[in-house]
Protein backbone atom coordinates (compact mmCIF):
# COMPACT_ATOMS: atom_id res chain seq x y z
CA UNK A 1 0.00 0.00 0.00
CA UNK A 2 2.86 2.37 0.79
CA UNK A 3 4.24 1.91 -2.71
CA UNK A 4 0.85 2.74 -4.23
CA UNK A 5 0.57 5.93 -2.15
CA UNK A 6 4.07 7.03 -3.22
CA UNK A 7 3.15 6.51 -6.87
CA UNK A 8 0.03 8.64 -6.42
CA UNK A 9 2.08 11.44 -4.88
CA UNK A 10 4.47 11.52 -7.85
CA UNK A 11 3.55 14.03 -10.53
CA UNK A 12 4.88 15.03 -13.90
CA UNK A 13 7.47 17.81 -14.08
CA UNK A 14 5.05 20.10 -15.90
CA UNK A 15 2.47 19.53 -13.16
CA UNK A 16 4.96 20.62 -10.51
CA UNK A 17 5.64 23.89 -12.30
CA UNK A 18 1.99 24.57 -13.07
CA UNK A 19 0.46 27.49 -11.21
CA UNK A 20 -3.02 26.98 -9.78
CA UNK A 21 -4.18 30.46 -10.72
CA UNK A 22 -7.80 29.78 -9.75
CA UNK A 23 -6.82 29.33 -6.10
CA UNK A 24 -5.58 32.93 -5.90
CA UNK A 25 -8.97 34.34 -6.91
CA UNK A 26 -11.28 34.86 -3.93
CA UNK A 27 -14.42 36.88 -3.51
CA UNK A 28 -14.58 39.81 -1.16
CA UNK A 29 -17.31 40.42 1.42
CA UNK A 30 -19.74 41.67 -1.20
CA UNK A 31 -19.08 38.68 -3.50
CA UNK A 32 -17.17 40.72 -6.10
CA UNK A 33 -13.93 39.66 -7.81
CA UNK A 34 -12.96 43.20 -8.86
CA UNK A 35 -10.59 43.74 -5.94
CA UNK A 36 -8.63 40.57 -6.77
CA UNK A 37 -8.44 41.45 -10.46
CA UNK A 38 -7.20 44.95 -9.62
CA UNK A 39 -4.51 43.51 -7.36
CA UNK A 40 -3.32 41.11 -10.10
CA UNK A 41 -3.10 43.97 -12.62
CA UNK A 42 -1.32 46.10 -10.03
CA UNK A 43 1.34 43.43 -9.40
CA UNK A 44 1.81 42.86 -13.14
CA UNK A 45 2.56 46.57 -13.74
CA UNK A 46 5.26 46.67 -11.06
CA UNK A 47 6.85 43.28 -11.80
CA UNK A 48 9.56 44.67 -14.10
CA UNK A 49 10.43 47.38 -11.57
CA UNK A 50 10.71 44.96 -8.65
CA UNK A 51 12.88 42.53 -10.64
CA UNK A 52 15.62 45.09 -11.22
CA UNK A 53 18.91 44.29 -9.47
CA UNK A 54 19.87 46.51 -6.56
CA UNK A 55 23.43 47.58 -5.75
CA UNK A 56 24.80 45.69 -8.77
CA UNK A 57 27.37 47.07 -11.18
CA UNK A 58 25.77 47.56 -14.60
CA UNK A 59 27.30 47.74 -18.06
CA UNK A 60 26.41 51.25 -19.24
CA UNK A 61 28.23 51.17 -22.58
CA UNK A 62 26.43 48.36 -24.36
CA UNK A 63 27.01 46.79 -27.76
CA UNK A 64 24.01 44.63 -28.65
CA UNK A 65 23.37 42.56 -31.78
CA UNK A 66 19.76 41.43 -32.33
CA UNK A 67 19.45 38.29 -34.47
CA UNK A 68 16.01 38.00 -36.09
CA UNK A 69 14.83 34.66 -37.42
CA UNK A 70 13.64 34.94 -41.03
CA UNK A 71 13.03 31.24 -41.61
CA UNK A 72 9.80 29.66 -42.87
CA UNK A 73 8.52 29.30 -39.29
CA UNK A 74 8.12 33.10 -39.02
CA UNK A 75 5.17 32.92 -41.43
CA UNK A 76 3.08 31.12 -38.79
CA UNK A 77 -0.02 33.06 -37.76
CA UNK A 78 -0.19 32.21 -34.05
CA UNK A 79 0.80 35.88 -33.60
CA UNK A 80 -1.35 38.20 -35.71
CA UNK A 81 -0.99 38.89 -38.56
CA UNK A 82 2.19 36.76 -38.53
CA UNK A 83 5.17 36.07 -36.30
CA UNK A 84 7.42 38.24 -38.46
CA UNK A 85 5.04 41.23 -38.51
CA UNK A 86 4.53 41.02 -34.75
CA UNK A 87 8.28 40.73 -34.10
CA UNK A 88 9.07 43.73 -36.32
CA UNK A 89 6.41 45.87 -34.65
CA UNK A 90 7.66 45.05 -31.15
CA UNK A 91 11.27 45.46 -32.22
CA UNK A 92 10.57 49.04 -33.33
CA UNK A 93 9.25 49.86 -29.87
CA UNK A 94 12.17 48.04 -28.23
CA UNK A 95 14.76 50.03 -30.20
CA UNK A 96 13.18 53.34 -29.18
CA UNK A 97 13.13 52.29 -25.51
CA UNK A 98 16.67 50.91 -25.74
CA UNK A 99 18.18 54.18 -26.90
CA UNK A 100 16.02 56.18 -24.51
CA UNK A 101 17.44 54.27 -21.54
CA UNK A 102 20.92 53.61 -23.02
CA UNK A 103 21.86 56.75 -24.98
CA UNK A 104 25.61 55.96 -25.18
CA UNK A 105 25.07 52.38 -26.34
CA UNK A 106 24.88 50.87 -29.81
CA UNK A 107 22.75 48.24 -31.51
CA UNK A 108 22.99 46.19 -34.71
CA UNK A 109 20.56 43.83 -36.46
CA UNK A 110 21.28 40.49 -38.17
CA UNK A 111 18.84 38.20 -39.98
CA UNK A 112 19.12 34.46 -40.47
CA UNK A 113 17.35 32.40 -43.15
CA UNK A 114 18.16 29.82 -45.81
CA UNK A 115 20.92 28.40 -43.52
CA UNK A 116 22.82 31.70 -43.70
CA UNK A 117 23.12 34.94 -41.76
CA UNK A 118 23.09 38.47 -43.21
CA UNK A 119 23.87 41.84 -41.66
CA UNK A 120 20.87 44.15 -41.83
CA UNK A 121 22.43 47.13 -40.00
CA UNK A 122 25.84 47.84 -38.54
CA UNK A 123 26.38 48.71 -34.89
CA UNK A 124 25.19 52.29 -34.50
CA UNK A 125 23.37 54.74 -32.27
CA UNK A 126 20.74 56.05 -34.69
CA UNK A 127 17.33 54.45 -33.93
CA UNK A 128 15.72 55.83 -37.10
CA UNK A 129 18.16 53.92 -39.31
CA UNK A 130 17.46 50.63 -37.54
CA UNK A 131 13.68 51.10 -37.60
CA UNK A 132 13.70 51.97 -41.32
CA UNK A 133 15.69 48.82 -42.07
CA UNK A 134 13.27 46.72 -40.00
CA UNK A 135 10.24 48.04 -41.87
CA UNK A 136 11.76 46.91 -45.16
CA UNK A 137 11.96 43.36 -43.77
CA UNK A 138 8.19 42.97 -44.09
CA UNK A 139 8.54 42.88 -47.89
CA UNK A 140 11.05 40.03 -47.81
CA UNK A 141 10.08 36.38 -47.94
CA UNK A 142 10.91 33.87 -45.21
CA UNK A 143 13.02 30.95 -46.45
CA UNK A 144 14.06 27.49 -45.20
CA UNK A 145 15.82 27.11 -41.86
CA UNK A 146 17.89 29.48 -39.70
CA UNK A 147 21.54 28.92 -38.80
CA UNK A 148 22.27 29.64 -35.18
CA UNK A 149 25.99 28.96 -35.50
CA UNK A 150 26.52 31.24 -38.50
CA UNK A 151 24.59 34.02 -36.73
CA UNK A 152 26.63 33.76 -33.54
CA UNK A 153 29.93 33.74 -35.41
CA UNK A 154 29.01 36.78 -37.54
CA UNK A 155 27.99 38.74 -34.43
CA UNK A 156 31.11 37.61 -32.54
CA UNK A 157 33.40 38.75 -35.36
CA UNK A 158 32.16 42.32 -34.76
CA UNK A 159 31.84 42.19 -30.97
CA UNK A 160 35.30 40.73 -30.34
CA UNK A 161 36.87 44.09 -31.26
CA UNK A 162 34.80 46.04 -28.75
CA UNK A 163 36.73 47.44 -25.74
CA UNK A 164 36.89 45.38 -22.56
CA UNK A 165 34.98 47.91 -20.45
CA UNK A 166 31.93 47.71 -22.76
CA UNK A 167 29.13 45.17 -22.50
CA UNK A 168 28.92 42.63 -25.36
CA UNK A 169 25.47 41.15 -25.89
CA UNK A 170 23.50 39.09 -28.39
CA UNK A 171 19.70 38.80 -28.37
CA UNK A 172 18.18 36.08 -30.57
CA UNK A 173 14.50 36.10 -31.57
CA UNK A 174 13.95 32.52 -32.74
CA UNK A 175 10.73 31.10 -34.16
CA UNK A 176 12.14 27.84 -35.54
CA UNK A 177 12.59 24.62 -33.57
CA UNK A 178 15.59 23.59 -35.71
CA UNK A 179 18.90 25.08 -36.80
CA UNK A 180 21.11 24.04 -39.71
CA UNK A 181 24.78 24.60 -38.79
CA UNK A 182 28.00 23.84 -40.70
CA UNK A 183 29.97 22.68 -37.64
CA UNK A 184 29.85 21.85 -33.95
CA UNK A 185 27.73 24.54 -32.32
CA UNK A 186 28.98 23.56 -28.85
CA UNK A 187 32.41 24.89 -29.81
CA UNK A 188 30.78 28.16 -30.83
CA UNK A 189 28.95 28.37 -27.50
CA UNK A 190 32.24 27.91 -25.66
CA UNK A 191 33.80 30.63 -27.83
CA UNK A 192 30.98 33.01 -26.82
CA UNK A 193 31.84 32.40 -23.18
CA UNK A 194 35.55 33.01 -23.73
CA UNK A 195 34.81 36.27 -25.57
CA UNK A 196 32.64 37.43 -22.66
CA UNK A 197 29.54 37.75 -24.88
CA UNK A 198 26.21 37.39 -23.10
CA UNK A 199 23.68 35.55 -25.31
CA UNK A 200 19.94 35.67 -24.62
CA UNK A 201 17.12 33.98 -26.55
CA UNK A 202 13.40 34.71 -26.92
CA UNK A 203 11.61 31.68 -28.34
CA UNK A 204 8.36 32.08 -30.27
CA UNK A 205 7.41 28.39 -30.13
CA UNK A 206 8.78 25.76 -27.71
CA UNK A 207 12.01 25.49 -25.73
CA UNK A 208 15.05 24.22 -27.63
CA UNK A 209 17.80 22.44 -25.73
CA UNK A 210 20.71 24.11 -27.53
CA UNK A 211 19.25 27.57 -26.84
CA UNK A 212 18.92 26.74 -23.16
CA UNK A 213 22.55 25.69 -23.02
CA UNK A 214 23.66 28.82 -24.91
CA UNK A 215 21.92 31.14 -22.45
CA UNK A 216 23.08 29.21 -19.36
CA UNK A 217 26.74 29.03 -20.40
CA UNK A 218 26.96 32.71 -21.36
CA UNK A 219 24.90 33.92 -18.35
CA UNK A 220 22.06 35.16 -20.54
CA UNK A 221 18.31 34.62 -20.28
CA UNK A 222 15.93 32.34 -22.16
CA UNK A 223 12.21 32.97 -22.34
CA UNK A 224 9.32 31.42 -24.26
CA UNK A 225 6.48 33.79 -25.14
CA UNK A 226 2.88 33.07 -24.17
CA UNK A 227 1.24 35.79 -26.28
CA UNK A 228 2.07 39.17 -27.80
CA UNK A 229 1.95 41.16 -24.50
CA UNK A 230 4.31 38.61 -22.94
CA UNK A 231 6.57 38.90 -26.01
CA UNK A 232 6.71 42.66 -25.40
CA UNK A 233 7.56 42.15 -21.71
CA UNK A 234 10.40 39.74 -22.55
CA UNK A 235 11.84 42.24 -25.03
CA UNK A 236 11.64 45.16 -22.60
CA UNK A 237 13.57 43.15 -20.01
CA UNK A 238 16.63 43.72 -22.20
CA UNK A 239 16.27 47.51 -22.09
CA UNK A 240 17.87 47.74 -18.64
CA UNK A 241 21.65 47.13 -18.73
CA UNK A 242 22.60 43.67 -17.47
CA UNK A 243 24.91 43.22 -14.46
CA UNK A 244 28.55 43.49 -15.48
CA UNK A 245 30.62 40.32 -15.38
CA UNK A 246 33.36 39.89 -12.80
CA UNK A 247 36.06 39.96 -15.50
CA UNK A 248 34.81 43.20 -17.08
CA UNK A 249 37.62 45.72 -17.20
CA UNK A 250 37.51 48.96 -15.22
CA UNK A 251 39.32 51.83 -16.85
CA UNK A 252 39.16 55.55 -17.44
CA UNK A 253 37.72 56.39 -20.86
CA UNK A 254 38.74 59.41 -22.90
CA UNK A 255 35.71 60.93 -24.58
CA UNK A 256 35.25 63.68 -27.13
CA UNK A 257 32.22 65.95 -27.37
CA UNK A 258 31.97 67.06 -31.01
CA UNK A 259 29.63 69.81 -32.11
CA UNK A 260 27.36 69.50 -35.12
CA UNK A 261 29.11 71.73 -37.67
CA UNK A 262 28.63 72.50 -41.34
CA UNK A 263 32.37 72.53 -42.01
CA UNK A 264 35.59 72.50 -40.01
CA UNK A 265 36.61 76.13 -40.66
CA UNK A 266 34.42 79.21 -40.73
CA UNK A 267 36.20 80.86 -43.65
CA UNK A 268 36.04 77.71 -45.74
CA UNK A 269 33.46 77.33 -48.48
CA UNK A 270 30.84 74.70 -47.71
CA UNK A 271 31.78 71.51 -49.55
CA UNK A 272 30.14 68.11 -49.18
CA UNK A 273 32.24 65.29 -47.82
CA UNK A 274 31.82 61.62 -46.94
CA UNK A 275 31.50 60.65 -43.29
CA UNK A 276 33.65 57.87 -41.84
CA UNK A 277 30.67 55.67 -40.95
CA UNK A 278 29.56 55.39 -44.60
CA UNK A 279 33.01 55.40 -46.17
CA UNK A 280 32.67 51.81 -47.42
CA UNK A 281 29.07 52.11 -48.60
CA UNK A 282 28.33 52.14 -52.31
CA UNK A 283 25.44 54.62 -52.10
CA UNK A 284 25.41 58.37 -51.55
CA UNK A 285 24.29 58.11 -47.93
CA UNK A 286 26.62 60.06 -45.63
CA UNK A 287 27.76 62.45 -48.38
CA UNK A 288 26.73 65.90 -47.12
CA UNK A 289 27.99 69.24 -45.79
CA UNK A 290 26.95 68.62 -42.18
CA UNK A 291 28.24 66.23 -39.54
CA UNK A 292 30.01 65.74 -36.24
CA UNK A 293 33.75 66.38 -36.43
CA UNK A 294 36.11 64.58 -34.04
CA UNK A 295 37.83 67.21 -31.84
CA UNK A 296 41.08 65.25 -32.00
CA UNK A 297 41.57 64.25 -35.65
CA UNK A 298 38.68 66.15 -37.37
CA UNK A 299 37.16 62.99 -38.85
CA UNK A 300 33.52 63.40 -39.78
CA UNK A 301 30.60 61.27 -38.53
CA UNK A 302 26.88 61.58 -39.12
CA UNK A 303 25.64 60.16 -35.81
CA UNK A 304 26.58 59.78 -32.16
CA UNK A 305 27.69 57.88 -30.11
CA UNK A 306 30.52 56.31 -32.10
CA UNK A 307 34.14 55.35 -31.70
CA UNK A 308 36.41 57.31 -34.06
CA UNK A 309 37.90 54.95 -36.64
CA UNK A 310 40.94 57.18 -37.12
CA UNK A 311 42.09 57.95 -33.56
CA UNK A 312 39.94 55.61 -31.42
CA UNK A 313 38.36 58.43 -29.37
CA UNK A 314 34.85 57.73 -28.07
CA UNK A 315 32.55 60.46 -29.39
CA UNK A 316 29.37 61.25 -27.43
CA UNK A 317 27.16 64.22 -26.70
CA UNK A 318 26.97 65.71 -23.22
CA UNK A 319 23.18 65.14 -22.86
CA UNK A 320 23.66 61.45 -23.75
CA UNK A 321 26.27 61.05 -21.04
CA UNK A 322 24.15 62.87 -18.46
CA UNK A 323 21.11 60.70 -19.21
CA UNK A 324 23.16 57.56 -18.57
CA UNK A 325 23.90 58.53 -14.98
CA UNK A 326 20.61 57.10 -13.71
CA UNK A 327 22.14 53.62 -14.08
CA UNK A 328 24.97 54.66 -11.74
CA UNK A 329 22.68 56.35 -9.21
CA UNK A 330 19.29 54.60 -9.48
CA UNK A 331 16.27 56.10 -7.76
CA UNK A 332 15.28 54.48 -4.46
CA UNK A 333 12.30 52.14 -4.51
CA UNK A 334 9.20 53.88 -3.18
CA UNK A 335 7.45 52.55 -0.09
CA UNK A 336 4.18 50.75 -0.78
CA UNK A 337 1.37 51.89 1.54
CA UNK A 338 -2.30 51.27 1.94
CA UNK A 339 -4.65 54.23 1.79
CA UNK A 340 -5.80 53.42 5.32
CA UNK A 341 -2.23 53.84 6.61
CA UNK A 342 -2.02 57.47 5.46
CA UNK A 343 -2.36 60.05 8.19
CA UNK A 344 -5.52 62.10 8.07
CA UNK A 345 -3.48 65.28 8.08
CA UNK A 346 -1.66 64.31 4.87
CA UNK A 347 -2.86 65.55 1.50
CA UNK A 348 -4.50 62.60 -0.30
CA UNK A 349 -3.50 63.79 -3.74
CA UNK A 350 -0.71 62.50 -5.97
CA UNK A 351 2.16 64.99 -5.78
CA UNK A 352 2.98 64.51 -9.48
CA UNK A 353 -0.38 64.59 -11.31
CA UNK A 354 -2.41 66.26 -8.52
CA UNK A 355 -5.20 63.69 -8.90
CA UNK A 356 -6.96 62.38 -5.81
CA UNK A 357 -5.66 58.98 -4.75
CA UNK A 358 -8.54 56.56 -5.45
CA UNK A 359 -6.64 53.24 -5.45
CA UNK A 360 -6.12 51.16 -2.34
CA UNK A 361 -2.32 51.22 -2.73
CA UNK A 362 -0.18 54.35 -2.92
CA UNK A 363 3.57 54.98 -2.95
CA UNK A 364 5.73 57.26 -0.85
CA UNK A 365 9.24 58.50 -1.50
CA UNK A 366 11.47 57.45 1.42
CA UNK A 367 13.28 60.82 1.36
CA UNK A 368 10.76 63.59 0.80
CA UNK A 369 7.72 61.54 2.04
CA UNK A 370 5.56 62.69 -0.90
CA UNK A 371 2.75 60.41 -2.10
CA UNK A 372 2.35 59.17 -5.67
CA UNK A 373 -0.15 57.05 -7.60
CA UNK A 374 0.87 53.86 -9.42
CA UNK A 375 1.09 55.38 -12.92
CA UNK A 376 3.25 58.28 -11.76
CA UNK A 377 5.46 55.95 -9.72
CA UNK A 378 6.11 53.80 -12.81
CA UNK A 379 6.77 56.88 -14.96
CA UNK A 380 9.22 58.26 -12.38
CA UNK A 381 11.25 55.04 -12.22
CA UNK A 382 11.07 54.12 -15.92
CA UNK A 383 11.50 57.49 -17.63
CA UNK A 384 12.09 60.43 -15.27
CA UNK A 385 14.65 58.77 -12.93
CA UNK A 386 14.30 61.55 -10.37
CA UNK A 387 11.71 62.22 -7.68
CA UNK A 388 9.66 65.41 -8.32
CA UNK A 389 9.22 65.88 -4.58
CA UNK A 390 12.95 65.75 -3.85
CA UNK A 391 13.87 68.12 -6.69
CA UNK A 392 11.19 70.68 -5.79
CA UNK A 393 12.11 70.90 -2.11
CA UNK A 394 15.52 72.16 -1.11
CA UNK A 395 16.96 71.73 2.37
CA UNK A 396 16.74 74.86 4.48
CA UNK A 397 20.01 76.66 4.96
CA UNK A 398 20.74 77.94 8.44
CA UNK A 399 22.74 81.14 8.75
CA UNK A 400 24.94 81.69 11.77
CA UNK A 401 25.91 85.15 13.01
CA UNK A 402 29.14 85.88 14.79
Amino acid sequence: MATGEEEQEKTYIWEGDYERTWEAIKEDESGSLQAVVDDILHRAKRRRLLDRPINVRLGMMRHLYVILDMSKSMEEQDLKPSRLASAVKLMEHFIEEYFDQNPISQIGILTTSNKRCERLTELGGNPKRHIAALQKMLDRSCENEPSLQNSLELAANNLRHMPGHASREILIILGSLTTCDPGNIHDTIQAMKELNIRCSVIGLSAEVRVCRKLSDVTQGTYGIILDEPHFKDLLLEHVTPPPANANTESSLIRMGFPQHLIHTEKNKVEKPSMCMCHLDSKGSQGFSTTGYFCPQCRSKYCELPVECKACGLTLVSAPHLARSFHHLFPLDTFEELSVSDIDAADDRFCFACQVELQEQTVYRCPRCKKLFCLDCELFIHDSLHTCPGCTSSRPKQTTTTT
Side-chain angles (χ1 to χ4, degrees):
M1 292 293 293
T3 305
E5 292 177 357
E6 291 177 358
E7 290 179 355
Q8 290 180 358
E9 291 177 357
K10 291 181 180 179
T11 58
Y12 293 103
I13 295 177
W14 63 269
E15 289 180 330
D17 294 337
Y18 193 79
E19 296 181 4
R20 299 176 179 270
T21 53
W22 57 87
E23 294 181 355
I25 300 178
K26 297 180 181 179
E27 298 179 352
D28 56 12
E29 296 177 355
S30 61
S32 174
L33 298 175
Q34 188 61 40
V36 180
V37 174
D38 292 342
D39 183 66
I40 293 174
L41 295 175
H42 169 83
R43 299 296 173 188
K45 285 183 178 180
R46 297 196 79 229
R47 185 184 302 119
R48 188 159 55 111
L49 180 62
L50 296 175
D51 290 342
R52 290 181 180 177
I54 302 176
N55 295 329
V56 176
R57 179 187 172 197
L58 302 178
M60 287 174 50
M61 296 185 66
R62 305 174 62 187
H63 296 86
L64 171 66
Y65 261 115
V66 180
I67 300 173
L68 180 62
D69 186 4
M70 286 288 294
S71 63
K72 205 69 176 176
S73 61
M74 295 299 286
E75 293 180 347
E76 296 289 339
Q77 297 182 353
D78 46 2
L79 296 176
K80 301 299 180 184
S82 66
R83 287 182 179 179
L84 178 61
S86 177
V88 168
K89 180 182 69 173
L90 295 179
M91 273 288 296
E92 293 175 7
H93 177 66
F94 167 74
I95 290 174
E96 292 176 350
E97 289 291 323
Y98 177 86
F99 284 110
D100 182 63
Q101 301 296 322
N102 307 273
I104 61 173
S105 299
Q106 297 184 17
I107 197 172
I109 304 175
L110 306 177
T111 61
T112 174
S113 63
N114 201 20
K115 308 168 188 176
R116 295 189 177 99
C117 181
E118 298 178 359
R119 183 184 292 105
L120 185 63
T121 59
E122 297 278 359
L123 280 173
N126 187 353
K128 294 181 180 179
R129 178 164 59 90
H130 299 299
I131 292 175
L134 275 175
Q135 292 174 346
K136 295 179 181 179
M137 295 298 300
L138 297 174
D139 299 330
R140 291 178 51 179
S141 60
C142 301
E143 300 178 357
N144 295 338
E145 293 180 286
S147 177
L148 189 59
Q149 185 180 24
N150 288 333
S151 303
L152 292 174
E153 290 180 350
L154 181 58
N157 288 336
N158 292 271
L159 293 175
R160 70 170 68 244
H161 303 295
M162 295 298 114
H165 58 262
S167 173
R168 307 171 185 175
E169 305 168 51
I170 295 176
L171 174 60
I172 305 169
I173 300 177
L174 189 65
S176 177
L177 293 174
T178 60
T179 172
C180 186
D181 302 320
N184 188 352
I185 193 172
H186 297 285
D187 296 338
T188 305
I189 294 175
Q190 189 62 31
M192 297 295 109
K193 180 181 179 181
E194 294 173 357
L195 290 172
N196 199 19
I197 299 176
R198 179 184 280 104
C199 302
S200 300
V201 184
I202 296 178
L204 306 188
S205 47
E207 183 171 311
V208 181
R209 170 62 183 166
V210 69
C211 295
R212 170 61 66 184
K213 182 178 179 181
L214 172 65
S215 58
D216 290 344
V217 170
T218 59
Q219 300 181 359
T221 60
Y222 186 23
I224 304 297
I225 70 167
L226 303 176
D227 48 23
E228 189 166 318
H230 187 227
F231 188 6
K232 180 180 179 181
D233 291 340
L234 290 178
L235 265 177
L236 293 181
E237 287 179 2
H238 297 276
V239 169
T240 305
N245 294 331
N247 55 352
T248 302
E249 297 179 8
S250 298
S251 59
L252 295 175
I253 308 169
R254 295 182 70 243
M255 288 188 173
F257 300 92
Q259 295 180 350
H260 193 267
L261 303 175
I262 297 178
H263 44 74
T264 55
E265 298 178 9
K266 293 183 179 180
N267 57 354
K268 202 171 184 179
V269 181
E270 296 183 15
K271 293 182 179 180
S273 59
M274 180 65 72
C275 67
M276 295 290 288
C277 30
H278 294 95
L279 200 59
D280 299 330
S281 62
K282 297 180 180 179
S284 60
Q285 187 178 8
F287 189 73
S288 64
T289 58
T290 62
Y292 297 94
F293 292 88
C294 175
Q296 185 166 274
C297 67
R298 312 307 294 174
S299 297
K300 175 183 163 184
Y301 295 89
C302 61
E303 62 185 37
L304 297 177
V306 70
E307 183 176 333
C308 182
K309 296 181 179 180
C311 63
L313 185 66
T314 301
L315 305 178
V316 298
S317 65
H320 286 168
L321 193 60
R323 283 169 51 202
S324 301
F325 272 19
H326 67 266
H327 294 309
L328 294 177
F329 309 102
L331 189 63
D332 295 336
T333 303
F334 286 2
E335 301 171 355
E336 186 174 331
L337 301 175
S338 175
V339 175
S340 58
D341 297 334
I342 304 175
D343 296 336
D346 291 342
D347 190 6
R348 298 203 174 193
F349 288 86
C350 173
F351 184 79
C353 63
Q354 295 298 311
V355 174
E356 186 177 1
L357 298 171
Q358 302 286 350
E359 299 179 353
Q360 295 299 318
T361 305
V362 296
Y363 301 90
R364 184 173 64 188
C365 175
R367 294 189 178 184
C368 65
K369 305 301 181 183
K370 301 295 184 182
L371 299 177
F372 299 92
C373 63
L374 173 62
D375 292 333
C376 289
E377 190 260 354
L378 292 176
F379 174 74
I380 290 170
H381 281 87
D382 288 340
S383 301
L384 201 58
H385 305 297
T386 182
C387 174
C390 296
T391 55
S392 61
S393 59
R394 296 181 179 179
K396 296 182 179 179
Q397 296 180 354
T398 57
T399 58
T400 58
T401 58
T402 58

